[in-house]
Each structure stands twice: as C-alpha cells, then as structure tokens.
Amino acid sequence: IHWPGHSESGLSTGVPVTSMDFYPTLLEMAGLEPNPEQQVDGASLVPLFEGKPVQRDAFYWHFPHYQGEGSYPASATRVGEFKLVHKYHHKDLLLFNLADDPDETTNLAASMPEKAKALDGKLMNYLKETRAYLPKAPTPEQKRKRRSGRK
C-alpha cells in the first residue's frame, strides 16, 4: 500500500487482510465516518502505517447459496493460523492450519475436534449476531429438480 505522506514507496506486511478492509481504511484516511445506518465490514488498515496491529479477532465469510459453477452453501472463519469451513450442503466441517498447509489440503477436523467445535461455535455466534441467512437443506423435490437440471 502506498499512502503519500505516510509511507515511503509502499507498505508490505505479512498481516492477513481482506478486500473488505479497503472501505474502512479509505474512510479513515479521508477523515470520514460511515453513514450511521451503514454496516462496515472489515477493519481499517491505517494502524499498519503506524507499526501497530490491526484490531480484529477473526475473519468471516458467508456464502449461503448455491452458485452456478457448482459451489455449495458454506461459511468460514479464520482465527490466527486456523481456518474453519462449515459446509451446509454436506453437513461437514473442514479445519486447516494455514501456517502448515496454505493450500488447504489436510482437513484437521477429525484430529482436532475441540478446535473445530470452538471455531464453529464462534462462527455460528457471529452469524447469529449479524442475523445472517442460514441455508436450509434442500427438499427431496428440490434435489430431484437439481439433478434433472430443472428449476
């Protein structure tokens, strides 16, 4: 990131960030407040320019729908080096240690059930607090239609 008057030729950091952080960052850089009725996802990255940590306890993602390319409804959270994916369609949890497995090839949920349960609880609490839509299992009729390609 380059911020004239606040960084040399750009800031590089190993701190995880997400595109949702751009909006609160730009607001803070411009000295603006969000509209009171506006939900601001993400965290401002301005502290990174001051050598301070970004204040965030977790990342959250929520995709409660089927997508055209074959994706299934899922939610995820990242806390520290661990990422948990909650798959609604298959009713399973995937747990990855991103420090050891950045390509997410080894599901640790069975070998670390307490960690998976704790992160899933944190994720479900967040979704409840934000009143997120939670997908429901498809009915047998919906499954038949999906298999046949009908809507």
Side-chain angles (χ1 to χ4, degrees):
I1 299 174
H2 179 66
W3 184 13
H6 297 273
S7 68
E8 297 290 325
S9 62
L11 175 68
S12 179
T13 178
V15 175
V17 299
T18 181
S19 61
M20 292 180 290
D21 296 334
F22 296 156
Y23 181 60
T25 301
L26 293 171
L27 283 175
E28 186 172 349
M29 287 174 159
L32 300 172
E33 295 290 327
N35 293 330
E37 67 277 358
Q38 193 172 35
Q39 170 68 37
V40 177
D41 294 323
S44 174
L45 303 178
V46 167
L48 294 176
F49 289 95
E50 302 163 353
K52 298 176 185 171
V54 173
Q55 297 301 310
R56 162 184 11 247
D57 70 331
F59 288 92
Y60 296 97
W61 297 271
H62 185 53
F63 302 94
H65 53 277
Y66 291 89
Q67 298 176 16
E69 72 277 355
S71 296
Y72 295 106
S75 299
T77 187
R78 178 180 177 169
V79 178
E81 299 300 333
F82 285 93
K83 178 179 175 185
L84 177 109
V85 180
H86 182 117
K87 290 186 164 188
Y88 298 98
H89 182 85
H90 299 292
K91 297 179 182 158
D92 62 349
L93 299 178
L94 306 174
L95 178 66
F96 304 102
N97 181 328
L98 299 177
D100 299 335
D101 182 18
D103 295 327
E104 301 177 14
T105 60
T106 304
N107 181 5
L108 301 172
S111 63
M112 300 180 74
E114 298 84 17
K115 185 73 165 178
K117 183 178 180 181
L119 290 179
D120 192 48
K122 183 175 184 67
L123 175 61
M124 292 301 122
N125 284 338
Y126 172 80
L127 295 174
K128 183 178 180 181
E129 288 171 10
T130 58
R131 297 186 305 251
Y133 168 80
L134 294 179
K136 295 172 182 56
T139 66
E141 177 63 22
Q142 290 169 322
K143 288 179 184 178
R144 280 192 298 278
K145 286 180 180 180
R146 194 170 289 126
R147 281 193 301 266
S148 70
R150 296 185 335 234
K151 294 185 178 187

